[in-house]
Amino acid sequence: MSFLIAEVIVDVSTYHVDRPFDYEVPTEWVNIIEMGCRVKVPFGPRNVLGFVVGLKNKTDVPSNKLKSIAQILDIEPVLTEEMLSMAKWLKNETICYEIDALQVMLPSALRAKYEKIIMMQEDKDALPEEAKAIFGKRQQANFKEFERAELLPLLKQLITNKIVKIENVVKQQGNVKEIRMVKISDKQQDISKAMEGAARAAKQRQLIEWMGRHLGEVLLPQRIYEETGASSAVLQSVIDKGAAHFIQEEVYRDPFTREVSRTQSLQLTDEQHVALKAIVGSMEEQTAKTFLLHGVTGSGKTEIYLQAIQKVLDEGKEAIMLVPEISLTPQMTERFRSRFGEMVAVMHSGLSVGEKYDEWRKIQQGKVSVVVGARSAIFAPFTNIGLIILDEEHESTYKQEDSPRYHARDVAIWRSEFYKCPVILGSATPALESFARAKKGVYSVLSLKQRALHQPLPTVFIADMREELQKGNRSMFSEQLIDAIRVRLEKKEQMVMFLNRRGYSSFVLCRDCGTVVQCPNCDISLTYHRTTEKLKCHYCGYEERVPQICPQCQSEHIRYFGTGTQKVEEEIYKLFPEARVLRMDVDTTKQKGAHEEILQAFGEGQADILLGTQMIAKGLDFPNITLVGVLSADTSLHLPDYRAAERTFQLLTQVSGRAGRHEKHGEVIIQSYTPEHYAIELAKIQDYEPFYEREMFLRRRSGYPPYYFVALVQISHEDVMMAAEYAGRAADWLRENLSNQVAIIGPTTASISRLQNRYRYQCLIKYKIEPNLIPVLQRLLAMYRAEWIKQGILMTVDLDPSTI
Ligand code: ADP
Ligand code: ZN
Ligand code: ZN
């Protein structure tokens, strides 16, 4: 079937053009073009990148208006039909442009990059000497060349005088890397014939003879020189005689650094066995079932993933394994590589653009069957998926914060319905929403209540930092923690010290009684604004002056709270000059591979204490860790976010899970100024369900998810008055157009009230059922795109904000 007209989604997301445009397919391409190919098409004054999303034979566009496709960029489509329909779904689900949904599925190497090209319009004699030098013999030059030569004013003049013109050209990226290999003929006759031809050339005969023993092999020329001592001239002559030939082989930039040894499936525990059986059962039924694998830290969830994936591979299908970016450590990926070897592709942000593209190609070409990756790996271009896994499913990094604002969990479930395969959501501390869905029977729960090696969970102590202050201890270490560290140093056991620093906000805390000033309307901590010395609620806009004395106990020890890892490190050295500390935070892990080096050094016992932020909360599995210290549990507890308690509970459980995973018993010391807070008390007993019940009760009382849905509209502008005005207009408009069942809170300043020189306001929409929500928001966006954007306003809509 050949088609004459292509429907193309163009890469222009600033205008109001969120629909396919018809283009004529040039006759020489009618048999080549396919849905999912990238093309270059004329759009307005320039060529832009586009995706073919439909093919047909008729169009309503009059023939004098119909433009032709300028170029086809792919012979094989880069997007499958599944992906094209997924993009349509994403567009509605997250209210984004279809082009954004299409682009997010591709590695960045295949997304559009534009290059500014300067083209001659007149004869070159019209150019001044400096410009002539840049063009040389060419008819076009790069904008960058003018920029580098500091000739931009001259360029502008040339453009005004129409001597040259400037054009945006789509830059082709993502080159496949190829190398030249030698393929030895697989026919004995070719060898014999070459042998006859080389009657008197001893060296050639030697090489041909060797080739006769390696029929059909593909080798690097270098290997042949090394193995046989032949020179390149000899090899060339032998090739001329037909014993072998050169071929171009695609090579992948291999991001793996170390070799791994193979591992075998472990004998499952009873709990693991029950869980795996349920998962395999649903694979056999070919149903799209979502499992919530709720297992305490160290319960062997990963072994279940591995064996379920093995089953998928046995069936000739493919598996996607998602892990949060920060848990995507070499330790983690090696567990997969050592089980499945070359079948595994790894995708994470540490790879270069080229490496990412290569991993993507391996998947697309069916060279691998398993991908282990962070959020965006959910779009891996497999075509026969048998299983999708999200480990640590509660992690907020599974939600993308830019357009398209998708949640990997939703995409996973969508794809599982397409392929009729199971999804496993794994966690020791599931997201409240997930557990609620499981309770309703939407997901099936599989639970692992015991650690795989039957080690007891670590013992957790809470150190009350208010008492420490009363005793006169002003340091950030409680006496209990100091003693525990001393014992470990003597016994030469290892420790992890965790500094909880999440989010950007800061709050004001009374060091005597632990009071954190709350909004009288919202049950949310007030945020400290240093510039105005005020406390603000960014949910409702309430504000007050920073108190000089604690409103609860009248103490003067009330102040802004926050410490850096560097300061903690100094304090450790003051207390224990002999301790060896490794610090892991954004500063020490800037360089590629630094993360890995620090962990390796710690694993080899080169340090006693690993000190770090969120980065160390996950995935660490070292036998010698017997103590985990949490320096300030409160930091995440008082973030101005309705999920603050949930996040704190999750984090404390995760960090605690790092201790005593092997033979030696583990101990955890959590320091807090508010030890009576339920998130901390329940983290101490390490039991999820009581926490769940308590938190659900509070969510219902204050009307937050999962009882209500929330959507967030954010508006920013360089001018604070403009931002406030348009946020007000948006809020009014929403109030007019949504039913009165919906609560619209705001406009208020965003939690980060100013970012990159833009003032940020937001409106929060809370609702239970509102069938009109999406159409109303789409109309608001249309209004914004048509009018507001010209005033310098930027607006975003998030239907499932991970923080508000
Ligand atoms: P989780 O992912 O639930 O935190 P892991 O998969 O990391 O737990 O398992 C914790 C430890 O238990 C690992 O060292 C793992 O090798 C080991 N383990 C898991 N399952 C088994 C099993 N069936 N038999 C023996 N050891 C196991
Ligand atoms: Zn107080
Ligand atoms: Zn408030």
Side-chain angles (χ1 to χ4, degrees), residues 588-608:
T588 60
T589 52
K590 267 187 207 129
Q591 268 174 352
K592 197 176 166 178
H595 193 256
E596 182 178 345
E597 272 169 36
I598 294 176
L599 287 182
Q600 199 177 343
F602 190 65
E604 287 167 1
Q606 293 178 30
D608 309 301

Side-chain angles (χ1 to χ4, degrees), residues 266-269 272 295-305 307 335 391 448 452-453 455 621 658 661-662:
L266 300 173
Q267 180 74 39
L268 295 183
T269 65
Q272 284 175 320
V296 297
T297 55
S299 58
K301 294 185 286 293
T302 312
E303 185 61 30
I304 296 180
Y305 304 150
Q307 297 199 18
R335 288 178 76 175
D391 190 30
L448 307 176
L453 302 163
Q455 326 85 316
D621 192 4
R658 300 307 116 210
R661 289 168 75 85
H662 296 259

Side-chain angles (χ1 to χ4, degrees), residues 510 512-515 550 552-555:
C510 170
D512 278 322
C513 75
T515 290
C550 169
Q552 209 64 45
C553 75
Q554 277 72 47
S555 155

Side-chain angles (χ1 to χ4, degrees), residues 264-280 293 298-311 335 339 424 446 448 450-454:
Q264 297 294 322
S265 290
L266 300 173
Q267 180 74 39
L268 295 183
T269 65
D270 291 347
E271 284 184 329
Q272 284 175 320
H273 183 75
V274 170
L276 182 67
K277 212 173 139 199
I279 296 161
V280 171
L293 179 60
S299 58
K301 294 185 286 293
T302 312
E303 185 61 30
I304 296 180
Y305 304 150
L306 289 166
Q307 297 199 18
I309 293 172
Q310 185 60 57
K311 195 81 194 163
R335 288 178 76 175
R339 198 66 65 85
I424 308 175
L446 304 169
L448 307 176
Q450 293 194 333
R451 286 185 152 184
L453 302 163
H454 297 284

